[in-house]
Amino acid sequence: MRGLADRPEDVPAVFAGRFNSGDAAALAQVYGDAAVLVPQPGTPATCPVLHAVNGRLQELGVPIAVRPRHVYRSGDVALLIVDWVIDGTGREGQAVHVEGTATDMARRGADGRWRYVIDNPFGTRAQRLPTEDTVDPGC
């Protein structure tokens, strides 16, 4: 499994590798302390809810593909614009297709590794992750 990112432009690939591994604990390491996931506009999720949303997506058994479009860095913070898609047949035989262009923020930690602090998978597009409605966005 790939280590954590040494550069902000590597965070999406680290995320994808860990997501596709199915290892929820490894995926959780890609997020900084107090990170926020926005599964639908206006509904940020933190704490264990963030990890529960990602876990439900991992349980579908369909890999994610990512393609960073832009990375803008200022010191220890970076804005990442990333095209992504989850497309295939799920474990239950259902067709799965979810895609978006994420607007994400990453920060370099004291250990020198870059992690997401804000994961906004749909950017400005009004959509929601398919498993969001089963979780409460609070901690």
Side-chain angles (χ1 to χ4, degrees):
M1 179 174 318
R2 190 173 181 160
L4 293 174
D6 292 319
R7 306 175 315 156
E9 55 268 27
D10 296 333
V11 177
V14 170
F15 176 92
R18 290 175 177 231
F19 181 95
N20 294 341
S21 77
D23 184 340
L27 181 58
Q29 295 172 354
V30 179
Y31 290 89
D33 294 335
V36 172
L37 170 70
V38 184
Q40 71 177 9
T43 310
T46 59
C47 301
V49 175
L50 177 154
H51 304 301
V53 169
N54 278 334
R56 285 183 176 81
L57 287 170
Q58 282 181 299
E59 289 171 5
L60 293 171
V62 179
I64 189 169
V66 298
R67 187 174 48 85
R69 188 186 299 187
H70 302 289
V71 177
Y72 303 106
R73 178 180 173 181
S74 177
D76 290 340
V77 297
L79 170 66
L80 297 92
I81 309 299
V82 181
D83 296 316
W84 61 273
V85 63
I86 299 173
D87 187 50
T89 303
R91 289 191 177 114
E92 305 291 318
Q94 78 281 22
V96 176
H97 183 86
V98 188
E99 65 181 303
T101 298
T103 305
D104 298 329
M105 295 294 298
R107 179 174 48 217
R108 182 171 40 201
D111 63 358
R113 305 291 190 244
W114 289 83
R115 294 173 179 86
Y116 283 127
V117 291
I118 300 174
D119 183 356
N120 183 17
F122 296 109
T124 60
R125 197 165 97 199
Q127 191 169 338
R128 56 198 272 188
L129 292 172
T131 58
E132 179 278 329
D133 59 350
T134 61
V135 271
D136 178 356
C139 289

